[in-house]
Amino acid sequence: MSPGASDAEEVEKANTAFYEAMERGDFDRLSELWLDEGISCVHPGWPVLSGRGEVLRSYALIMANTEYIQFFLTDVKVSVAGDTALVTCTENILSGGPAEEAGELGPLVGQLVVATNVFRRTPDGWRVWSHHGSPVLAETDSDEDEDTPA
Amino acid sequence: MSPGASDAEEVEKANTAFYEAMERGDFDRLSELWLDEGISCVHPGWPVLSGRGEVLRSYALIMANTEYIQFFLTDVKVSVAGDTALVTCTENILSGGPAEEAGELGPLVGQLVVATNVFRRTPDGWRVWSHHGSPVLAETDSDEDEDTPA
C-alpha cells in the first residue's frame, strides 16, 4: 500500500485494479482480488452467484467469450466504515466478442451498467467481497435538481 | 435484539423487516432502517442513488405508485464479517399499481429480482448501508445466447 494514501484512495485503487484485470483478461489477478470466503457476484441480468467456485467460473466463461472489453468508470463513490468499503460506480462498457472470421474482432457493443462493489480490508490489501452489476434501463426524470457532488 | 440469536439471525431479521416495511408501505419504518450516512441504493434498472435525500425520495415515489406489493424471498444467504453483513436474496415480487377505477386494484405483475443488501451493526441494531436490486434477464446455462452479459 502506498504510504500516506487514505483508505478511500486505497479502495478506489483496488476498484480500478478489479476492472483492469477484467480488461486484460487476467484471470489469475482477478482471482487474487476476490476474498476467499463468503463472496457473491451478480453480473448484469444474472442470478446471484455465491462462493469462489461459482464466481470464478463465471469470470472464466465471460473472459472466454469476450475478445475485447473496456470499462470507462464514472460517478465513482467510496464509503469506508472500519474494515469494509462500499463503492458505487457507473461502468460505461465497450466490448466485443469473437468474430466469425479468425483474427477479426467481433462487433463492438456499448453498455451502461451500474455497480455496487463491497471490499474488505485484509493484510494483503482491500479485496472484493461482493460485486453487483445491473443494466440501467430507466431514466430518472428528476435527477437534475442540484444535490452536492461527492 | 433477541438474546441468544446469532449475528446472522439478527441480520436476516433486519433484512426481513426491510421488505416488510416496503410491503406495508411504512415509509417511517423504512427510513429508520437505513443508516444515516454513506448509503446507496439501486432499484432494478435504475442508476445509483446516493445519500438519504435521493434514496428516501425514491422510496416515497415507489410507494406512491404502488397499490400492492409482496416479496417472497428465496435463496437468502448471509455473510457476516465484524460489524458488516452481506445479504443476497431473490425477491419474487408480486405487485400492482393503482387502477383506473377508484377503489380497484391495478393489474398484478410478477417480477424476478436479485438483491445484494449490505448492513452495518449499530447500537440500534443492523441498519441498511446499501441495497442493489436487479432484474434477472438471462439463464445461467444459456450458452446458445449470443449476448451473454459481460
Side-chain angles (χ1 to χ4, degrees), chain B residues 28-43:
Chain B
D28 290 344
R29 177 63 180 141
L30 193 80
S31 308
E32 196 177 80
L33 285 169
W34 280 88
L35 275 181
D36 287 334
E37 289 185 5
I39 64 171
S40 63
C41 177
V42 179
H43 299 297

Side-chain angles (χ1 to χ4, degrees), chain B residues 93-108:
Chain B
I93 305 175
L94 192 64
S95 66
E100 307 284 303
E101 297 284 312
E104 296 279 315
L105 198 64
L108 290 180

